[in-house]
Amino acid sequence: MSLSNKDRMKIPRQAMPEQDKFERRNNFSEVNLGFTEELAVLEAQRCLQCPKSTCTEGCPVGVKIKDFISLVSEKDFAGAVAKLKEDNLLPAICGRVCPQEEQCESKCVLGKKGESVAIGRLERFVADWERVNLGIRTPELKPKTGQKVAVVGSGPAGLSCAGDLIQMGHDVTVFEALHELGGVLVYGIPEFRLPKEIVRAEIESLSKLGVDFQKNSIIGLTDTVDELFANGYDAVFIAVGAGLPYFLNIPGENFNGVYSSNEFLTRVNLMKAYKFPEFDTPVFNCKDKNVAVFGGGNTAMDAVRTSKRLGAKNAYIIYRRSENELPARKEEFHHAKEEGIEFIFLSNPQEFIGDEKGWLKGVRVQKMELGEPDASGRRRPVPIANSEYVIDIDMAVVAIGNGSNPIIQNTTPDLDYNKWGNILVDKDTMKTSKEGVFAGGDIVTGGATVILAMGAGRTAANAINEYLKTKK
Ligand code: FAD
């Protein structure tokens, strides 16, 4: 049945089915349950199929959004996923964690007067539908070129670059420092937002295409970038992310019970600390305790919601600006509030307070007010004199961002870096100052998003392909 635009605009945006908000506080299972076929078709029917696809312009990897959505509305789910995967080999991941509200969905014409099409939810639906009904299928490969590329890091930038290069006919080896593949997708983003099984399945599809994954290989220690060339690689893509945590640099940060978000989330996500003693990497037992997470981004939301699931009595976000400046995705903020997280806005930590045995027992914070916008465009927090007070806490997680790990810089000094250690590249090609070396993702931009990292991987793959043609 063909619908008029008027009919399409009468269909409301379909809500994402979710796990009950009280139940999910006690488990690590996924919060969002995904669309049913009926909900997906209904949502897809809302798309006006605009002649100019502004939604695609908002997607860093250029997914042909209206085409795949049109196939969903016709119930051709297999066709829809094939269309989607022409541009994105990791749709189940992106459908779950991309900030669509700031990208494709922000460009949807329907969003101007009402609610945009739920593009991310549809992306997730078709990817999950394929995995459950068909198994993940792999695309055709071009004939082998005999040329070899080393990809350093298995986060979204490395995976997307590897996926594109293998399809172009090159041999690809991904070197990963950790014992698990996926970067932040597995060690940072918790199971309740992105199940590891989903990440593993999408990585498995790259293995099936022939990508060789080498775990426990730290480039800079196991081999240097120069040694990769000496070992026969024709090009190298560096996608090592931004894994070095920033700290608050306030007194008392070394008390027992103060974690970086990296350590806390890695222990819980990757090392399964919540299953201690079955798994032997515990975290502080925060059951019935007070936990404060400092920061306002996705990482802070993940850490605080994790602490709630570990049994925290009170779990606070302490953020120096207001709700309006919160950088986390709206959905994460909404879910956190539903789960009972308490938000203490306009408060800046001054000092951690500990007991005589060195255990954390509180944090002294100062109240702030908002002044003029700063370089980030957000209003600057300004301290209010004589407004300090103490909050009793037993555990703290510092989630104020990450910088670049110096290992590549220390062992590859002939690359150009900025003062924060990010690798400098030509933005159109991701080419670095060193012959045959390309870089992308958080190591170039600083902490950003999954889809931007994937976009960088894709740009680099195209440029590496061109570069390799000149080497033949
Ligand atoms: P990473 O994902 O960091 O991957 C880099 C990989 O390189 C890692 O596996 C690392 O072990 C490996 N590596 C490092 N050094 C070496 C070396 N010397 N040799 C070999 N391997 C090495 N973005 C979103 O879009 N949506 C979200 O909801 C979201 N939530 C987030 C939640 C958390 C907790 C965090 C920390 C980030 C979140 N982000 C989110 C940001 C997003 O995950 C990152 O922007 C993205 O993962 C960057 O991808 P990348 O490939 O550049 O690096």
Side-chain angles (χ1 to χ4, degrees):
M1 180 185 63
S2 114
L3 294 173
S4 68
N5 275 359
K6 216 167 151 196
D7 291 335
R8 290 178 190 278
M9 287 164 80
K10 280 189 200 149
I11 307 172
R13 180 171 156 119
Q14 301 302 301
M16 169 63 86
E18 289 172 0
Q19 218 197 128
D20 175 76
K21 64 182 176 191
F22 294 107
E23 211 167 287
R24 71 183 193 235
R25 291 175 196 183
N26 302 312
N27 67 52
F28 278 83
S29 305
E30 201 174 4
V31 170
N32 288 340
L33 301 175
F35 275 167
T36 57
E37 291 189 6
E38 292 69 30
L39 287 176
V41 171
L42 212 51
E43 184 61 34
Q45 285 174 343
R46 298 182 62 230
C47 176
L48 301 181
Q49 294 292 313
C50 310
K52 187 169 183 281
S53 305
T54 46
C55 48
T56 293
E57 289 167 19
C59 172
V61 294
V63 167
K64 298 174 201 80
I65 293 169
K66 73 170 186 187
D67 297 345
F68 100 77
I69 290 185
S70 163
L71 291 162
V72 176
S73 73
E74 291 160 17
K75 296 195 184 167
D76 179 359
F77 305 133
V81 75
K83 182 56 71 187
L84 186 51
K85 285 170 93 173
E86 284 176 14
D87 302 292
N88 182 354
L89 278 181
L90 310 173
I93 294 171
C94 291
R96 282 171 168 81
V97 301
C98 271
Q100 292 99 5
E101 63 280 3
E102 289 165 20
Q103 293 171 333
C104 52
E105 292 182 15
S106 75
K107 309 275 179 188
C108 174
V109 171
L110 283 184
K112 288 193 181 142
K113 287 199 178 148
E115 290 195 284
S116 58
V117 174
I119 300 168
R121 293 173 188 173
L122 289 172
E123 179 180 32
R124 170 194 164 131
F125 166 77
V126 290
D128 288 357
W129 183 91
E130 180 194 43
R131 199 177 56 257
V132 171
N133 292 287
L134 307 176
I136 296 182
R137 291 165 308 157
T138 48
E140 291 285 302
L141 304 186
K142 294 232 167 83
K144 282 280 172 213
T145 62
Q147 289 170 300
K148 285 171 47 173
V149 184
V151 171
V152 186
S154 69
L159 293 177
S160 93
C161 186
D164 282 359
L165 286 169
I166 198 89
Q167 289 181 71
M168 292 165 181
H170 308 297
D171 287 331
V172 184
T173 306
V174 177
F175 295 92
E176 168 54 52
L178 294 178
H179 61 286
E180 277 267 6
L181 303 169
V184 171
L185 304 175
V186 291
Y187 76 74
I189 303 181
E191 187 77 16
F192 56 82
R193 275 214 296 136
L194 180 61
K196 309 283 162 291
E197 170 206 345
I198 303 287
V199 182
R200 285 196 197 107
E202 298 211 329
I203 292 175
E204 185 55 35
S205 73
L206 298 185
S207 284
K208 270 199 209 160
L209 287 176
V211 175
D212 173 31
F213 287 99
Q214 296 292 327
K215 299 177 192 171
N216 303 310
S217 301
I218 306 179
I219 299 307
L221 283 181
T222 322
D223 279 316
T224 62
V225 169
D226 286 327
E227 282 164 348
L228 291 175
F229 284 111
N231 294 344
Y233 289 96
D234 299 289
V236 176
F237 177 57
I238 302 177
V240 291
L244 194 70
Y246 290 142
F247 282 94
L248 290 159
N249 292 322
I250 59 173
E253 215 162 7
N254 55 349
F255 282 127
N256 294 319
V258 182
Y259 287 90
S260 71
S261 53
N262 266 33
E263 180 182 354
F264 177 65
L265 288 171
T266 304
R267 278 174 177 259
V268 179
N269 284 328
L270 204 57
M271 314 293 194
K272 300 274 186 287
Y274 58 94
K275 291 190 177 164
F276 180 77
E278 199 187 323
F279 285 75
D280 58 4
T281 310
V283 277
F284 178 81
N285 180 2
C286 50
K287 191 155 173 47
D288 298 327
K289 302 275 176 37
N290 293 341
V291 176
V293 174
F294 298 89
N298 288 322
T299 308
M301 299 304 140
D302 285 344
V304 79
R305 294 173 70 199
T306 296
S307 74
K308 195 77 189 169
R309 282 160 173 77
L310 292 173
K313 181 170 71 177
N314 295 303
Y316 309 113
I317 283 280
I318 300 182
Y319 181 54
R320 63 196 185 126
R321 302 183 204 239
S322 77
E323 178 179 333
N324 291 338
E325 289 77 33
L326 211 61
R329 289 187 65 197
K330 288 215 163 39
E331 182 178 62
E332 306 315 324
F333 174 52
H334 166 74
H335 280 155
K337 278 207 302 196
E338 279 190 342
E339 288 165 13
I341 306 304
E342 292 173 53
F343 286 79
I344 302 176
F345 290 114
L346 291 165
S347 294
N348 203 22
Q350 303 296 304
E351 178 187 9
F352 288 115
I353 300 161
D355 65 15
E356 62 293 345
K357 290 192 172 147
W359 283 93
L360 180 70
K361 53 182 209 161
V363 60
R364 190 162 50 79
V365 298
Q366 180 168 34
K367 290 193 180 163
M368 313 293 275
E369 59 191 353
L370 292 179
E372 293 302 309
D374 62 14
S376 72
R378 295 175 302 168
R379 291 180 64 193
R380 186 192 301 275
V382 182
I384 301 176
N386 304 319
S387 65
E388 295 188 8
Y389 66 106
V390 172
I391 305 172
D392 292 339
I393 54 169
D394 307 282
M395 188 181 125
V397 180
V398 179
I400 56 168
N402 288 309
S404 45
N405 188 311
I407 195 164
I408 294 285
Q409 185 165 12
N410 291 344
T411 53
T412 325
D414 52 342
L415 282 175
D416 285 347
Y417 302 87
N418 68 14
K419 63 177 172 180
W420 299 285
N422 300 115
I423 300 177
L424 298 176
V425 296
D426 172 338
K427 292 277 158 28
D428 295 328
T429 58
M430 299 293 147
K431 198 171 170 317
T432 69
S433 52
K434 187 173 165 80
E435 163 91 26
V437 180
F438 299 73
D442 282 3
I443 185 60
V444 167
T445 53
T449 62
V450 170
I451 196 73
L452 283 173
M454 287 179 61
R458 159 151 290 192
T459 305
N462 286 327
I464 291 170
N465 191 38
E466 290 307 313
Y467 169 75
L468 292 179
K469 282 181 197 161
T470 66
K471 279 199 80 186
K472 265 195 163 174

